[in-house]
Amino acid sequence: DLRQKIEKLEAILRRTSQDCRIVADFTYDWEYWVTASGQLQYVSPSCERITGYRPQEFTEDPSLLERIVHPDDHSFVEMHMCEDVNNPEKPPQAVDFRIVDRSGTVRWIGHECQSVFGDRGEWLGRRCSNRDITERKKAEEQKESLLVNLQESFAKIKILSGFLPICASCKKIRDDEGYWHQIESYIRDHSDAEFSHGICPTCARRLYPELYRDET
């Protein structure tokens, strides 16, 4: 009868609603939906894990989304967001930027967004996904620093390769500009080597023969 049909439909709606809630509320990344009018319609609970702010704080204060963007990235992100408004033809976008979370920690965000449409093809705004990529960015910076250090090391090795013009008498080395330098100062300026001075046994016998008379 009619009552049974209504109860069946209500059960289907409850299951559908539960399925949608589970998919939306239990995403690991920070998901949100910006409507065609630019309003925040939905913010996933995972936003608190990444930003320290609860979903209600974003929906009740839409400007919070802009305020947590790092000052150095604000103009770039603002331009990206403005281009999304009233633009259903804009293809999916992926950009990286920094935010400052509630504790004051700077985090890198990998942001992706794309247009969403209703059953009748009407444009409903954009679905956005923010992923915390801070550790990945740190790894990339460390890799870049390592490459720079390696390049500098290779450059120094290259400088000290090949033939070096050296005086056969005083052992000074001539640089590319024609100036002569003590060998230790030349090597120190063109490498990471440092020198500590001493006297070898041969020179010690020549300079201080009185110390070695007992050996003869």
Side-chain angles (χ1 to χ4, degrees):
D1 61 356
L2 180 59
R3 184 175 180 178
Q4 289 178 333
K5 291 181 179 180
I6 292 175
E7 290 177 350
K8 186 176 181 179
L9 287 173
E10 288 177 345
I12 293 174
L13 288 173
R14 283 195 299 270
R15 287 197 301 271
T16 302
S17 177
Q18 182 182 41
D19 291 345
C20 291
R21 185 184 65 81
I22 289 175
V23 171
D25 289 352
F26 290 90
T27 57
Y28 184 75
D29 294 333
W30 167 20
E31 309 283 343
Y32 62 91
W33 169 23
V34 182
T35 66
S37 61
Q39 299 298 312
L40 274 174
Q41 183 70 21
Y42 171 80
V43 180
S44 68
S46 53
C47 67
E48 187 171 3
R49 177 182 61 82
I50 297 176
T51 69
Y53 296 96
R54 299 184 302 276
Q56 305 92 293
E57 295 181 86
F58 284 102
T59 54
E60 293 173 2
D61 182 10
S63 65
L64 176 61
L65 189 61
E66 297 180 7
R67 294 204 310 272
I68 66 174
V69 175
H70 192 281
D72 292 344
D73 297 341
H74 190 271
S75 58
F76 160 70
V77 174
E78 184 179 24
M79 181 177 65
H80 170 76
M81 297 301 182
C82 289
E83 290 176 351
D84 286 345
V85 178
N86 298 322
N87 189 1
E89 302 301 325
K90 186 176 181 181
Q93 300 289 308
V95 295
D96 297 344
F97 59 88
R98 290 163 293 178
I99 65 167
V100 181
D101 68 15
R102 187 189 288 273
S103 68
T105 302
V106 176
R107 296 179 180 272
W108 274 98
I109 297 297
H111 170 86
E112 296 186 31
C113 60
Q114 64 178 359
S115 290
V116 292
F117 301 89
D119 294 336
R120 292 173 292 181
E122 69 277 21
W123 186 53
L124 300 179
R126 298 186 74 82
R127 165 73 179 271
C128 302
S129 178
N130 289 340
R131 173 167 294 185
D132 187 346
I133 59 171
T134 305
E135 294 304 317
R136 192 191 81 189
K137 284 291 185 178
K138 288 181 179 179
E140 290 175 354
E141 291 175 358
Q142 292 174 352
K143 179 180 178 181
E144 182 65 24
S145 177
L146 178 61
L147 288 174
V148 170
N149 291 336
L150 286 174
Q151 289 172 352
E152 291 177 352
S153 298
F154 286 140
K156 291 176 180 179
I157 292 173
K158 183 177 180 180
I159 289 174
L160 292 176
S161 66
F163 290 99
L164 296 177
I166 185 171
C167 176
S169 177
C170 66
K171 307 303 181 185
K172 289 183 178 180
I173 295 178
R174 189 184 69 215
D175 63 20
D176 294 336
E177 297 178 355
Y179 295 100
W180 292 87
H181 303 271
Q182 293 290 340
I183 186 170
E184 59 264 34
S185 63
Y186 184 89
I187 293 176
R188 184 180 61 244
D189 293 341
H190 291 78
S191 73
D192 291 330
E194 295 291 341
F195 290 89
S196 62
H197 291 85
I199 298 178
C200 72
T202 301
C203 292
R205 289 187 177 89
R206 177 173 56 83
L207 295 172
Y208 308 104
E210 66 277 7
L211 298 178
Y212 296 90
R213 289 172 181 171
D214 295 340
E215 295 182 2
T216 58

